[in-house]
Amino acid sequence: MATQIDLPPSSENSSLARHGATTLQAELQSLHALQARGDYSAAAAGAKRLLPLHPANRDLLLIEAHALRMTKQTEAALAALERLAHHHPRFSQLFLERGLCHVVLRDAPAAIADLRTAVGINPALTMGWRMLDGLYRMTGDNRSAELAARHCAHLASLPPPVVQAKVLFADDEVDAAEALIRRFLLEVGDHPEAMRLLAQIGHMRNVLDDAELLYAGVLAMVPDHHEARHEYVQVLIARHKFPQARAELEPLLKLDPTNHAHRTQAATIQVGLGDFEGVIPVYLEMLRETTGDTPDARVHRADLNLWLGHALKTEGRTDEAIDAYMAATADRPDFGDAWWSLANLKTYRFAPESIAVMRERLDAPTTADIDRVHIAFALGKALEDQGDFAGSWAAYAQGNTLHRASNGYIPTVFETNTREQKRVCTAAFFAERIGWGLDDPAPIFVLGLPRSGSTLIEQILASHSQVEGTQELPDIQRIVHELQGRELDFDNPRYPAVLPELDAATIRRFGEQYIADTMPNRVMGRPYFIDKMPNNFRHIGLIHLALPKARIIDARRDAMSCCFSNFKQLFAQGQEFTYGIEDIARYYRTYVDLMDHWDAVLPGRVLRVQHEDVVNDLEGSVRRILDYCGLAFEPACVEFHKTRRSVRTPSSEQVRQPIFRDGLDQWKNFAPWLEPLRAALGPDLAP
């Protein structure tokens, strides 16, 4: 039997599934029954009666359009579909139904366009492929007809429940798709396409370990399932298993070495392994191959230029990175990620023309929500640089509000974890475990809050001949996830409560696992390396147990400066506490509370480095850091800005310059809007 995944419910269309048949659900079932009996007039009348009460309901609008088409009211059906498109513009069945209307009107080009869109969104629409097969043959496009026929044959070879579940999944009916495919697997046993769909659901919901197991099972059954292999590689990349991902991708590259999807995955793996310099010509070559002015070509070029810009920025080739990002915005003026990447250079200043484009796209109804968030943050940075602090604050506030509305952050989860860390990880607890763990002195953990000066500390250390800078490594988080288990209980979490149950052998295994898993990132072979994952401050107890010889540096910054810097930063992923003033203040207070606890139970274990001290006394701070790490002083650490290395974080451009004070008091420009932050932090942290 395929591995079962205990997944959380989807946010969309899930209330009906959870709470049983409501009045509307009963009405919809009745209308579907009328359609099944062929009583389309009654179905249309019923939908028309209910729509004033539920004008945006997807099912009602589709039932109305379908019933109107079946009663030969084609123009009325198209009008109903326009209403459906207004509320649900990416619904595959909208395009399928509209394509069928165009078939009735004998408009083959319009029918083909809509049906292609339908199957592009939802490849499991058998009717769409069947109609395309006939239309392509009628218009003489035999090659496309053969492709459509192959899709029809493939879907016909699958059990109907699998096809139905695929249709549901593609149209965001994830709960229903999962329930259906689980029932099928329980009844039938292993089936590669059913397991693949369950893996896709797991990947979408970030249940990556189960998704990985399911894909491995699919490929064990069908080794030449190229689509499943491509998706499997994506999961391995998401899990930062880059060497394994590279091995799994190799058969696809051998089979089709010019395929951009496979080459993009290969480039992502290179980036994951730290080879930014080597990936630059790969992106440039794909850009040269991406010609034409079609929408697909423009979107692909924009993506390639974005990725190219990231690699160039990381390598310190800032001017070239700017050119790449600007090229991305030229192909896609609403490409929020490209605009934010320019702002995220920190040293870049926007031209008035670019600011005008961002203002226009921020308010445009066609701009996607995710792009709107990125543009708001970019506009905030642009206006801040111009000295328009009121306008800048408004843009930052808009971006934060939009992001906070969708990120699902729950402050009490971190606070509960902190309370449990303090309860479990006492001085007596550590005293009983002296001598445990792996005595490997190689790791240097630089942790704390984001935007606290950790990149500067990393750059100082990585300028030393004995130390290698890597990146924000996920490997401690992996161990934590293993300890947490799959049944998450936020009120009574299994981790860290499970720590007292672990024996010395298990703790040592975690230390060995960490060293082994981080080895692919240590390409220079130096005796020490830096792990700059900021959130590791939550797990200092675990780090101390597993790696008692590791160095731990807490990067600390003035509360008002740090919190405001987080508020105006849009992070690529995670750090969901940063999108609201109250959330940021609560998190900062809890962070300080937890660090005070580590100082009390592990005195002298953590070196605290205040960012303002580094700025005011660079050499003294450098000597203090090196002394703590047991490293001899080297002048290169003071001249850190001359060190050539890949830097991934938002501060990458700043640490390539000599030390500067400009960022210390930037929050004061926004003081009129930051009184709630000061009050939430309290007088001890923000006097």
Side-chain angles (χ1 to χ4, degrees):
M1 176 56 211
T3 303
Q4 294 274 317
I5 306 178
D6 294 322
L7 298 173
S10 169
S11 60
E12 291 189 35
N13 302 309
S14 61
S15 59
L16 296 180
R18 288 197 304 265
H19 302 300
T22 63
T23 301
L24 176 59
Q25 183 68 9
E27 295 274 16
L28 287 170
Q29 290 173 349
S30 176
L31 294 178
H32 285 305
L34 290 172
Q35 286 180 305
R37 292 200 302 268
D39 193 349
Y40 299 112
S41 295
K48 186 175 182 179
R49 173 176 55 82
L50 291 169
L51 276 168
L53 299 174
H54 310 281
N57 183 273
R58 196 174 73 174
D59 292 334
L60 284 175
L61 289 163
L62 182 63
I63 290 169
E64 179 190 32
H66 176 261
L68 289 169
R69 176 174 63 83
M70 296 304 292
T71 54
K72 304 188 185 306
Q73 301 178 67
T74 310
E75 294 298 338
L78 287 170
L81 290 169
E82 283 303 307
R83 296 193 296 276
L84 177 56
H86 175 74
H87 295 292
H88 306 281
R90 294 294 295 167
F91 183 29
S92 71
Q93 310 258 1
L94 154 71
F95 294 98
L96 174 63
E97 191 62 39
R98 195 158 66 188
L100 295 174
C101 285
H102 289 307
V103 169
V104 173
L105 297 173
R106 300 183 181 278
D107 187 346
I112 289 173
D114 277 322
L115 291 169
R116 285 184 60 180
T117 302
V119 297
I121 298 170
N122 193 334
L125 291 176
T126 305
M127 173 64 80
W129 289 115
R130 185 180 301 127
M131 296 304 298
L132 280 170
D133 182 12
L135 287 165
Y136 282 136
R137 294 187 191 283
M138 185 181 70
T139 56
D141 188 351
N142 291 327
R143 183 176 179 181
S144 295
E146 290 172 6
L147 177 63
R150 285 201 297 272
H151 278 284
C152 286
H154 170 67
L155 292 171
S157 71
L158 298 177
V162 176
V163 176
Q164 184 184 355
K166 283 176 170 287
V167 170
L168 291 168
F169 176 68
D171 279 330
D172 294 326
E173 296 278 1
V174 183
D175 286 337
E178 183 191 349
L180 180 57
I181 210 67
R182 284 195 187 283
R183 285 197 302 271
F184 174 80
L185 285 168
L186 284 170
E187 294 168 2
V188 176
D190 289 345
H191 185 282
E193 280 303 318
M195 293 164 63
R196 178 191 173 200
L197 177 57
L198 203 53
Q200 289 170 332
I201 294 172
H203 190 185
M204 185 196 73
R205 289 177 168 167
N206 206 37
V207 189
L208 298 179
D209 50 352
D210 278 343
E212 180 182 345
L213 286 171
L214 285 163
Y215 277 124
V218 171
L219 292 172
M221 298 168 67
V222 191
D224 60 349
H225 195 319
H226 304 317
E227 294 86 356
R229 183 173 297 277
H230 179 84
E231 294 162 7
Y232 182 35
V233 171
Q234 284 299 112
V235 169
L236 293 172
I237 289 171
R239 299 202 73 191
H240 294 260
K241 294 188 173 183
F242 298 114
Q244 187 179 346
R246 183 170 52 191
E248 292 295 336
L249 179 60
E250 191 60 30
L252 297 179
L253 284 171
K254 285 183 178 178
L255 187 69
D256 190 359
T258 65
N259 185 292
H260 274 213
H262 303 334
R263 289 160 68 188
T264 296
Q265 285 187 325
T268 303
I269 292 166
Q270 277 186 268
V271 167
L273 292 171
D275 184 12
F276 295 92
E277 186 175 358
V279 85
I280 290 170
V282 176
Y283 290 138
L284 288 171
E285 184 178 3
M286 285 195 283
L287 276 167
R288 286 192 293 270
E289 295 169 359
T290 307
T291 58
D293 198 37
T294 65
D296 287 346
R298 289 196 297 272
V299 168
H300 188 42
R301 270 198 307 270
D303 285 338
L304 287 169
N305 269 307
L306 178 75
W307 302 328
L308 173 63
H310 292 343
L312 290 165
K313 180 195 82 166
T314 304
E315 285 296 298
R317 296 161 61 174
T318 306
D319 290 343
E320 295 171 84
I322 291 170
D323 290 341
Y325 291 141
M326 288 301 295
T329 66
D331 269 317
R332 266 196 64 197
D334 62 352
F335 196 3
D337 206 344
W339 289 117
W340 170 244
S341 296
L342 286 163
N344 210 22
L345 288 170
K346 306 305 181 189
T347 56
Y348 178 75
R349 299 296 178 263
F350 286 97
E353 297 81 8
S354 294
I355 293 175
V357 173
M358 286 192 287
R359 287 187 187 276
E360 175 192 351
R361 296 294 170 163
L362 180 62
D363 297 327
T366 55
T367 300
D369 289 344
I370 185 62
D371 289 310
R372 203 182 307 279
V373 170
H374 281 80
I375 292 171
F377 276 92
L379 183 61
K381 177 63 166 59
L383 296 178
E384 180 182 359
D385 291 337
Q386 286 191 337
D388 180 3
F389 301 119
S392 173
W393 176 263
Y396 285 140
Q398 181 179 358
N400 276 281
T401 300
L402 289 169
H403 196 291
R404 182 66 179 89
S406 61
N407 70 11
Y409 174 65
I410 304 172
T412 53
V413 172
F414 173 47
E415 292 163 355
T416 299
N417 179 268
T418 296
R419 184 181 66 249
E420 286 296 287
Q421 293 281 1
K422 293 168 65 177
R423 182 184 67 81
V424 172
C425 297
T426 62
F429 171 81
F430 290 120
E432 293 168 1
R433 290 161 177 80
I434 291 175
W436 286 26
L438 180 70
D439 286 341
D440 191 326
I444 302 173
F445 291 91
V446 179
L447 41 75
L449 293 192
R451 312 298 299 147
S452 62
S454 57
T455 303
L456 176 58
I457 297 173
E458 177 196 38
Q459 183 75 353
I460 288 169
L461 282 166
S463 300
H464 197 282
S465 62
Q466 299 296 299
V467 182
E468 180 169 358
T470 57
Q471 55 180 304
E472 296 179 359
L473 302 175
D475 302 280
I476 291 296
Q477 307 294 323
R478 281 209 198 102
I479 296 171
V480 169
H481 290 157
E482 181 179 337
L483 291 171
Q484 283 175 335
R486 296 180 184 177
E487 297 291 339
L488 298 181
D489 183 346
F490 294 129
D491 296 323
N492 187 26
R494 185 170 182 268
Y495 168 86
V498 71
L499 288 178
E501 302 173 16
L502 306 180
D503 59 19
T506 302
I507 292 294
R508 182 181 177 85
R509 177 176 64 81
F510 285 143
E512 293 169 343
Q513 176 183 328
Y514 175 84
I515 294 298
D517 289 349
T518 55
M519 193 59 70
N521 295 280
R522 300 172 62 183
V523 296
M524 301 176 73
R526 293 180 175 178
Y528 303 98
F529 72 99
I530 304 163
D531 181 341
K532 204 183 76 65
M533 176 63 74
N535 295 340
N536 281 338
F537 78 87
R538 305 177 188 174
H539 313 299
I540 287 175
L542 174 62
I543 292 170
H544 172 74
L545 287 175
L547 297 158
K549 295 293 182 66
R551 271 68 169 190
I552 305 172
I553 299 175
D554 172 29
R556 184 75 61 91
R557 186 179 177 187
D558 170 75
M560 291 295 290
S561 293
C562 186
C563 291
F564 173 65
S565 188
N566 274 284
F567 183 75
K568 67 176 187 173
Q569 180 69 40
L570 177 61
F571 293 92
Q573 60 183 358
Q575 314 304 354
E576 303 297 359
F577 72 92
T578 65
Y579 299 100
I581 290 296
E582 177 61 29
D583 290 339
I584 293 172
R586 285 179 67 170
Y587 196 93
Y588 192 98
R589 292 198 312 267
T590 308
Y591 151 72
V592 170
D593 180 40
L594 183 55
M595 293 309 302
D596 287 346
H597 172 74
W598 298 131
D599 289 344
V601 300
L602 295 170
R605 185 71 176 86
V606 178
L607 177 71
R608 179 151 304 110
V609 178
Q610 193 74 30
H611 179 64
E612 291 77 12
D613 293 343
V614 180
V615 173
N616 291 324
D617 179 14
L618 176 60
E619 183 170 337
S621 297
V622 168
R623 289 184 180 277
R624 179 169 172 259
I625 292 168
L626 295 180
D627 284 346
Y628 167 77
C629 293
L631 297 167
F633 177 78
E634 292 183 359
C637 296
V638 177
E639 297 183 320
F640 60 85
H641 57 284
K642 297 180 181 179
T643 301
R644 178 173 173 77
R645 57 180 288 266
S646 300
V647 183
R648 302 187 183 204
T649 66
S651 302
S652 60
E653 296 311 300
Q654 293 162 311
V655 298
R656 293 189 174 105
Q657 303 174 31
I659 204 82
F660 67 101
R661 298 184 51 84
D662 295 357
L664 293 183
D665 298 323
Q666 284 179 346
W667 70 269
K668 293 180 180 178
N669 294 322
F670 296 84
W673 300 279
L674 289 175
E675 281 308 309
L677 173 62
R678 183 189 294 278
L681 285 168
D684 291 341
L685 295 175

